[in-house]
Amino acid sequence: MDGSSLLEQYLERCDGQDDISTSPQLFTPMSPYDVDFPIQTTEDVLFGSQFNQPKELPTDFSSVDLSFLPDITQENKAQNLFEDGHEMQKELDGSTSNEDSSILTDESILAYPDATQATPEASGGCPPLTPIAPMTPVTPASESSGIVPQLQNIVSTVNLACKLDLKNIALRARNAEYNPKRFAAVIMRIREPRTTALIFSSGKMVCTGAKSEEQSRLAARKYARVVQKLGFPAKFLDFKIQNMVGSCDVMFPIRLEGLVLTHQQFSSYEPELFPGLIYRMVKPRIVLLIFVSGKVVLTGAKERSEIYEAFESIYPILKGFKKAS
Amino acid sequence: SLRDTVPRGDCETVCPNTPCFSEVAYSQSTGQKEQLSRCLQRGIRRVQDLCKVLQLPTVFEETAVSYVQRALQHPSFHLVSLEKKELLGGCCVFVTCRQHNWPLTMGTICSLLYAKQELFASVYLSLQKELELSVPALSLADLVKTHLNSFRLFQHAADIPAPFVENKEKVVARTMQIVELASETWLVTGRHPVPIVTAAAFLSWQSLQPATRLACTLARFCKLARVDLPPPAHLRLKELLEILLRMASQLAWLRVFNLDKKTVVKHIGDLLQHRIFLLKSAFCPEDEEEQQCAAAPGEASPGSAAGAVQGGGCPSAGKRRPLLPPCLVNPRKRLRTAAPSASDSAVTGEEPISDGEIEQYLRGPEEIRAFRKAQACAAAPSTLPTPCLATCCI
């Protein structure tokens, strides 16, 4: 599995999400503490909305999903971040001064929210400590799963913006299937990227089966071209990824009966109906299917970062079960 | 008469002589039923009936009725088909039972409602999601007691051979132990619960008097006991026996017997008595390497089993395998989807698309003509003369 490049892509995406950070360099402690990582949400919740975050924080924490909180306490976490960041400061020589090292105390982490928001231009020296920039996950190495979910299916929609004669399309296209009595759309398939499209007479189209967002877009464009070549004035409007499905394997068996006990509000485990446990994660809004074999399916994402985030949230919970059993 | 049912008191004082209202039934005038829609009334009635049939405590009915009210008021249930609304009452009763750890299976509720299990399942899952209900998992211990209640082997009857009748408490106790054993050895997670209880009950009953009962099959047992034999029960029985055999291989005085699936039943009592120790010695923890596993129990020599896969290192103790769910021990061969290749990852989505690539998906004019003819033939074969069929159907 080409895990590292996928992870890099994900991390680059997170970098791009930073509104405040203007620094293109990755290894800088000046990038502010608002990267979109799971640990982030914990910090948000606990440090309160004094942070000037680009995202909205829930003021009512009762609905916040804290189910992914790992075993270590908040202080430990802050310490770890501090330690890691401290190493970073040492490596980037030159900019640290004696004054700045006085900032590098435990209190600084916890006092950070009270301080004015650090900006890259702040007072010459390094701003108060921030976690390591996105090249490695914010969570300390022992916590990050090292497993990257693989995308299995992308569902996207696009508007061809013209009325279509489905019977005509089914007659003149080789790769089309049309049974109006069964379903009111043409089912079309192409070989590369290997996908299926549902084309409706309104001009709307659904594209399924691709393994990446880009492949889904390319496939949708090819279907649009087929429709164009059949003589319709097809456009390519409002292309949108509607759903992404990923899967992975934690490599150990899971006691689903136990998981449903401790995470009742999020879990549905009905062996009479389905062998897996259905876990409805609140943040991000992802549904996970967890099986006794340790295989996990994640679905409901609009962006791949949600899949990765959801898995990183669930992994410590599942690992906790491994030790308990 | 109606006069008797109409509340008079106040109204007569206000307008003593002229009738200020027409006489109506009490229930209509108080609007008791007016406020409830017909669906809700039906739902409540269904709940009440089910609670009566299942002999549930009164508090269950109140809870279930409140769920039905909440559900029908929820926007996502307004437009649901009548067929589904019919099942709402049953779903609410089911949820209530589970929340009170009252062992009611979906199978039972479905048969009481004459409902298709898929439909019931979808209504149940929607209900759980929309009302944000937390439903605890089915308690197997309670299920054992309830399920065994329906077995007909605890009292003498004309069609049951005398040696087959057994003491109920003994069967229940031993079945519980076997079900617990199944749960500890990963045979329960993700599986239908009832077949496990059936298989466990069979083994427990057999082991209490093996001499006369070993010859009886699972199918015959269920027939005599007047219970259904669910298809997975045979597989559960097979898995249980395998676990028991592994445990037996760790008991010194049993090793000499060379037990098999039949004879091990005679010793279930002993095996259950020492099950904690036997499980530990028969199976190594899930994450241990197979090499360590191959070392005989009691020996601390991971190195000695180097190169030996399962069981190579121990002479008589029998192979130790990791304690894993059956789906991991015997993985079904599956086509693994290939990981995205480098070229796959390089796709941008904006690549140029060649005409040639698109044209391969389009029919040429000849092909369209032939296809049209074939369609016409397929549509009305009797109206066309036979030579046409021969030429146009490729």
Side-chain angles (χ1 to χ4, degrees), chain B residues 37-364:
Chain B
S37 72
R38 210 176 294 166
C39 265
L40 185 51
Q41 280 177 44
R42 246 187 276 143
I44 292 176
R45 217 173 320 137
R46 180 59 57 88
V47 165
Q48 290 168 337
D49 293 340
L50 282 169
C51 290
K52 216 178 293 173
V53 167
L54 295 165
Q55 297 178 326
L56 302 174
T58 8
V59 64
F60 283 34
E61 189 182 308
E62 291 157 17
T63 315
V65 166
S66 76
Y67 286 151
V68 171
Q69 280 173 323
R70 274 173 63 192
L72 285 170
Q73 279 158 15
H74 200 279
S76 50
F77 282 102
H78 271 165
L79 301 170
V80 142
S81 72
L82 268 178
E83 201 185 359
K84 282 191 171 178
K85 278 189 182 149
E86 289 280 304
L87 302 182
L88 257 181
C91 282
C92 293
V93 170
F94 176 74
V95 168
T96 309
C97 285
R98 285 278 288 274
Q99 288 177 332
H100 288 87
N101 283 316
W102 190 277
L104 180 67
T105 60
M106 269 188 214
T108 308
I109 272 276
C110 282
S111 60
L112 285 174
L113 294 173
Y114 299 102
K116 290 176 275 189
Q117 211 186 23
E118 294 97 52
L119 196 62
F120 182 86
S122 85
V123 177
Y124 167 72
L125 289 173
S126 309
L127 180 75
Q128 195 188 16
K129 183 182 162 204
E130 301 299 340
L131 264 55
E132 290 173 4
L133 301 169
S134 73
V135 185
L138 183 65
S139 152
L140 269 183
D142 294 330
L143 181 64
V144 167
K145 285 183 224 155
T146 322
H147 193 55
L148 285 178
N149 278 336
S150 53
F151 279 59
R152 231 183 115 253
L153 285 167
F154 310 122
Q155 279 179 340
H156 288 272
D159 54 340
I160 301 177
F164 281 17
V165 179
E166 186 54 74
N167 175 281
K168 189 177 179 190
E169 277 72 43
K170 282 194 193 168
V171 177
V172 170
R174 189 162 278 197
T175 307
M176 287 271 220
Q177 288 186 314
I178 296 180
V179 168
E180 263 169 39
L181 177 68
S183 178
E184 284 160 32
T185 53
W186 293 104
L187 300 186
V188 169
T189 311
R191 271 94 176 270
H192 278 256
V194 172
I196 298 164
V197 175
T198 311
F202 172 63
L203 276 179
S204 132
W205 169 84
Q206 258 193 337
S207 66
L208 288 166
Q209 247 194 74
T212 47
R213 298 174 187 168
L214 264 182
C216 181
T217 60
L218 176 60
R220 188 164 173 231
F221 168 77
C222 289
K223 209 166 151 204
L224 284 170
R226 299 260 186 92
V227 288
D228 287 330
L229 172 53
H234 277 116
L235 284 166
R236 297 299 90 84
L237 180 62
K238 192 166 154 240
E239 288 167 353
L240 273 169
L241 287 168
E242 201 217 69
I243 299 283
L244 289 165
L245 277 169
R246 283 193 181 276
M247 287 165 69
S249 71
Q250 299 302 309
L251 270 182
W253 67 86
L254 286 182
R255 265 183 239 144
V256 294
F257 284 119
N258 268 333
L259 296 172
D260 64 19
K261 284 185 179 168
K262 280 279 182 202
T263 47
V264 72
V265 177
K266 292 190 248 178
H267 307 279
I268 284 182
D270 285 339
L271 295 173
L272 288 174
Q273 202 180 358
H274 304 285
R275 69 179 181 278
I276 299 169
F277 162 74
L278 292 173
L279 281 180
K280 268 208 199 115
S281 45
F283 301 98
C284 49
E286 295 132 22
D287 46 5
E288 260 183 37
E289 296 296 327
E290 276 180 18
Q291 287 189 344
Q292 278 179 288
C293 217
E299 286 177 28
S301 49
S304 71
V309 191
Q310 279 175 320
C314 17
S316 58
K319 313 168 237 188
R320 245 165 77 115
R321 69 155 172 83
L323 189 53
L324 290 172
C327 61
L328 287 179
V329 176
N330 311 309
R332 247 185 282 172
K333 269 193 189 159
R334 224 175 229 182
L335 281 167
R336 300 238 160 261
T337 52
S341 62
S343 57
D344 283 345
S345 317
V347 172
T348 62
E350 299 299 337
E351 284 85 347
I353 302 165
S354 71
D355 282 345
E357 189 189 343
I358 300 300
E359 275 152 21
Q360 69 172 312
Y361 294 116
L362 306 179
R363 291 198 167 112

Side-chain angles (χ1 to χ4, degrees), chain A residues 203-254:
Chain A
K204 298 271 174 70
M205 183 171 83
V206 180
C207 175
T208 65
K211 299 279 187 200
S212 77
E213 306 89 315
E214 298 80 14
Q215 286 189 21
S216 196
R217 188 186 183 87
L218 179 60
R221 283 173 57 226
K222 291 189 183 179
Y223 289 112
R225 282 287 289 276
V226 169
V227 172
Q228 270 175 359
K229 283 219 176 267
L230 288 171
F232 299 92
K235 300 207 188 84
F236 196 78
L237 305 180
D238 309 323
F239 174 80
K240 186 179 176 206
I241 304 282
Q242 299 289 359
N243 187 29
M244 303 176 68
V245 183
S247 72
C248 58
D249 190 346
V250 301
M251 307 301 273
F252 54 82
I254 302 166

